[in-house]
Amino acid sequence: MKNLFLKYQTALGTIFCLWLFLTIFKKLGFTFGVNLSVFFRIFLFLFIIWLVWITKIKWSEINAIIKRIWSEVKDKFIAETKKNQEEIIRFSPQLLTGKTGSSLSFFIAFIFSFFLLSWQLVKKIFKVYVFNRITFLVLVILGILLDIFVLKSSYDLVIIFLTVLWILSVYRYKFEGRISVGLALGFLILCPFLLIFKKELIAEKSAIWAYLFLVVGVVQLFIENFKKEKESVQKED
Amino acid sequence: MGKYITIVITCLIFLSSLFFFKAIIPALCLTLFFIFWVLLIEIAWQNRQSTFLLILTKSLISAIFTLSVYSLIYLPLEYLITEIWLVTPKIPSIVSPILLIILTGGFSLVNWDDKLKVKSWRLFLLTFIIISGLVYLGYRQNKLAREYLPKIYNITPNWGIQAQLIEVRGVNFFPIWKKGKILFNGQEMIIKSWDEKVIIAEQPVPAEFGKTTLFIIRSDGIISNKIPYDVRDPNTLK
């Protein structure tokens, strides 16, 4: 069964590679008479089968994780609600005494804890999964590729937003200036080939990104040189 | 590839592309493109033992081989069905993805690592890919050339007597304001309705009876394929 799953997984990866090939070829003007939308829908269907299959295989592990998370959240929620209820009662001891007052304070604490924990959860998800190092970089790269190859027209705001994201990732990853310059050269090389294949819009966007990466790269190189000069002066002193 | 060999080949590519294009920018671009690929291949070669790269290579080879087989078998068949035999204007869009997925599933099971170690297999693969590429280019050229030609797929009925209405089905007949002619036996049919894909025409009194061919002359003068048509004598129908 496991062997069959591995074979299925390999086939699925190959189907994805093929879809990628066909999409790139189509962008370059070479169609193979394949409806890519239908092809992708079939791939998605097979991918869902893979997801169900892998869930079934790893169900014991997934179940254990769900149980652990559930018990952690439950304990935290109960503790938080109790703490909040105590705080609420402490805030207004005369009004929230007795059976009705206790129920009311519990209800308010429950609602408050629910929103507080939800907010904390969203914050944690964003911090761990969305704004972590790899996802951030992948988002920037995907954004730029989407802007060049998928969007049908040029949007200034999108370009500015993605440029700022790239600058932030340069700052965060401590990328050297030559990486930006290298990317600029890459996009510049792409331009004439796209023009040969009559993809003017993509070539134009590629040229825009080449220019932007060049600007960022030159500024980075300038700052790097400035820092080096400063360090050498300090050493000499 | 060694450093010096790369430099020599780069220079050769630059010079030959300069000679070929007679312009410096395309020559430079081609040279840069070559350097970019050499770098990429070198990085891939250095990390050739990594699991990710091995799986990726296997998937890529399977995908390329699938596409080659598809180009060599399905595309010529599709061309024959839609352009030469004129069985149908278009094969259902589900057929090609399903075929591709079945082929991919089959070829992904092949152990390409073992196959690529054998020199004859490598040569076979390379030859196969080149041949299928050439077949694809031929298919593309012919398909594009025939894409906008008028084509008749069928006529109902395929026989007629005077004043009978004939329905001609096909593609690229041009709209009503660019009406053409339907001819048989050198005679012109009376057009009742003209559309991009369907024409309804009335058969005039024929000059002679018997088997002949029917075809369309579009308003720009381009002639469609010829379909067998039987001009019958009304007396024989009694």
Side-chain angles (χ1 to χ4, degrees):
Chain A
M1 190 72 173
K2 204 178 175 185
N3 197 20
L4 191 69
F5 176 73
L6 284 174
K7 280 175 182 169
Y8 181 79
Q9 197 168 263
T10 316
L12 198 66
T14 314
I15 291 167
F16 182 72
C17 281
L18 190 64
W19 176 78
L20 216 62
F21 267 143
L22 290 170
T23 314
I24 293 166
F25 279 132
K26 197 184 175 186
K27 285 276 171 201
L28 296 172
F30 294 96
T31 52
F32 281 80
V34 185
N35 189 333
L36 284 178
S37 160
V38 175
F39 191 90
F40 190 71
R41 269 182 247 170
I42 296 171
F43 168 73
L44 267 186
F45 177 71
L46 295 172
F47 182 72
I48 289 166
I49 291 174
W50 177 79
L51 270 182
V52 173
W53 201 343
I54 201 167
T55 313
K56 204 182 159 194
I57 288 170
K58 301 203 169 189
W59 178 243
S60 55
E61 288 169 45
I62 294 167
N63 198 22
I65 291 168
I66 291 170
K67 274 184 181 166
R68 187 172 53 80
I69 291 171
W70 172 246
S71 92
E72 270 177 24
V73 169
K74 203 174 75 181
D75 292 347
K76 203 175 176 187
F77 189 75
I78 291 167
E80 196 75 28
T81 313
K82 272 183 185 168
K83 206 176 102 188
N84 287 335
Q85 195 181 7
E86 279 167 16
E87 285 286 320
I88 290 162
I89 291 169
R90 201 162 57 85
F91 182 70
S92 176
Q94 286 172 336
L95 198 74
L96 296 168
T97 47
K99 208 177 173 183
T100 324
S102 173
S103 305
L104 188 68
S105 65
F106 175 76
F107 179 71
I108 297 167
F110 183 86
I111 299 287
F112 186 71
S113 307
F114 178 75
F115 280 108
L116 192 76
L117 285 177
S118 303
W119 169 242
Q120 278 178 353
L121 189 72
V122 169
K123 231 168 86 175
K124 197 177 174 183
I125 287 169
F126 266 82
K127 203 173 174 183
V128 176
Y129 298 108
V130 181
F131 290 115
N132 72 356
R133 289 168 72 94
I134 290 169
T135 322
F136 191 70
L137 191 66
V138 167
L139 273 178
V140 177
I141 292 167
L142 266 182
I144 292 168
L145 291 177
L146 271 177
D147 180 51
I148 295 173
F149 294 103
V150 179
L151 291 183
K152 296 277 178 209
S153 51
S154 188
Y155 303 102
D156 291 349
L157 271 176
V158 172
I159 292 170
I160 292 168
F161 177 70
L162 288 172
T163 314
V164 171
L165 279 187
W166 173 249
I167 293 167
L168 283 175
S169 43
V170 161
Y171 177 73
R172 194 163 176 182
Y173 286 87
K174 306 271 182 283
F175 281 149
E176 287 179 24
R178 59 186 180 160
I179 290 176
S180 297
V181 175
L183 283 171
L185 282 175
F187 283 121
L188 207 63
I189 293 166
L190 208 63
C191 285
F193 292 98
L194 290 167
L195 286 173
I196 290 168
F197 290 112
K198 307 257 181 261
K199 301 283 166 195
E200 280 86 5
L201 183 72
I202 302 175
E204 193 185 314
K205 283 187 179 179
S206 183
I208 291 171
W209 278 106
Y211 174 73
L212 285 170
F213 275 118
L214 209 61
V215 169
V216 175
V218 168
V219 171
Q220 274 179 268
L221 288 174
F222 180 74
I223 292 168
E224 278 168 20
N225 277 338
F226 185 72
K227 275 182 184 169
K228 270 182 197 168
E229 291 263 329
K230 211 174 165 183
E231 275 171 17
S232 62
V233 168
Q234 276 174 349
K235 272 180 191 171
E236 276 172 19
D237 288 342
Chain B
M1 211 162 22
K3 200 160 70 178
Y4 297 108
I5 298 171
T6 313
I7 292 168
V8 170
I9 293 176
T10 310
C11 291
L12 280 173
I13 284 176
F14 178 70
L15 289 172
S16 53
S17 49
L18 199 65
F19 175 75
F20 185 72
F21 292 117
K22 302 215 179 340
I24 197 152
I25 302 287
L28 267 176
C29 286
L30 205 67
T31 316
L32 279 172
F33 192 66
F34 171 73
I35 292 170
F36 170 76
W37 277 104
V38 165
L39 270 173
L40 205 72
I41 289 165
E42 201 151 321
I43 291 166
W45 184 254
Q46 278 167 3
N47 299 293
R48 66 184 180 280
Q49 293 304 328
S50 70
T51 321
F52 172 73
L53 213 69
L54 284 174
I55 293 168
L56 189 74
T57 316
K58 201 183 161 190
S59 295
L60 285 177
I61 292 168
S62 302
I64 291 169
F65 196 70
T66 305
L67 214 55
S68 303
V69 171
Y70 173 83
S71 305
L72 216 57
I73 296 168
Y74 178 76
L75 291 182
L77 199 69
E78 190 240 345
Y79 180 74
L80 283 174
I81 290 170
T82 58
E83 304 290 339
I84 307 292
W85 298 333
L86 297 168
V87 178
T88 171
K90 207 179 170 192
I91 289 173
S93 59
I94 193 82
V95 175
S96 51
I98 292 282
L99 181 75
L100 272 172
I101 284 168
I102 290 168
L103 285 174
T104 316
F107 292 132
S108 67
L109 299 178
V110 177
N111 193 346
W112 291 106
D113 296 337
D114 286 351
K115 296 264 185 276
L116 286 176
K117 277 175 193 160
V118 185
K119 198 180 172 184
S120 57
W121 258 101
R122 284 202 298 264
L123 207 69
F124 164 72
L125 266 180
L126 195 71
T127 319
F128 191 75
I129 290 165
I130 290 170
I131 290 170
S132 60
L134 291 172
V135 168
Y136 171 73
L137 288 175
Y139 157 83
R140 190 170 176 264
Q141 197 183 0
N142 286 302
K143 183 95 180 165
L144 285 175
R146 284 173 172 264
E147 198 171 2
Y148 301 109
L149 291 181
K151 281 168 254 178
I152 302 175
Y153 287 101
N154 60 56
I155 50 171
T156 37
N158 58 359
W159 59 272
I161 54 168
Q162 59 197 59
Q164 187 174 331
L165 291 179
I166 312 289
E167 193 181 78
V168 182
R169 286 190 175 269
V171 285
N172 303 327
F173 296 153
F174 276 178
I176 181 84
W177 60 88
K178 285 186 188 173
K179 227 171 9 180
K181 291 174 194 168
I182 300 181
L183 293 178
F184 73 100
N185 256 349
Q187 273 187 288
E188 197 179 327
M189 284 219 179
I190 304 152
I191 306 293
K192 293 287 177 189
S193 152
W194 186 285
D195 190 53
E196 188 79 53
K197 290 176 179 173
V198 185
I199 304 165
I200 295 169
E202 188 187 308
Q203 190 195 295
V205 178
E208 55 182 288
F209 303 115
K211 288 189 190 326
T212 180
T213 51
L214 183 144
F215 58 94
I216 288 169
I217 301 181
R218 217 164 56 176
S219 62
D220 56 358
I222 294 175
I223 300 170
S224 74
N225 56 314
K226 292 176 178 172
I227 293 277
Y229 182 66
D230 189 10
V231 184
R232 289 187 186 172
D233 180 359
N235 291 326
T236 59
L237 297 172
K238 282 176 188 170

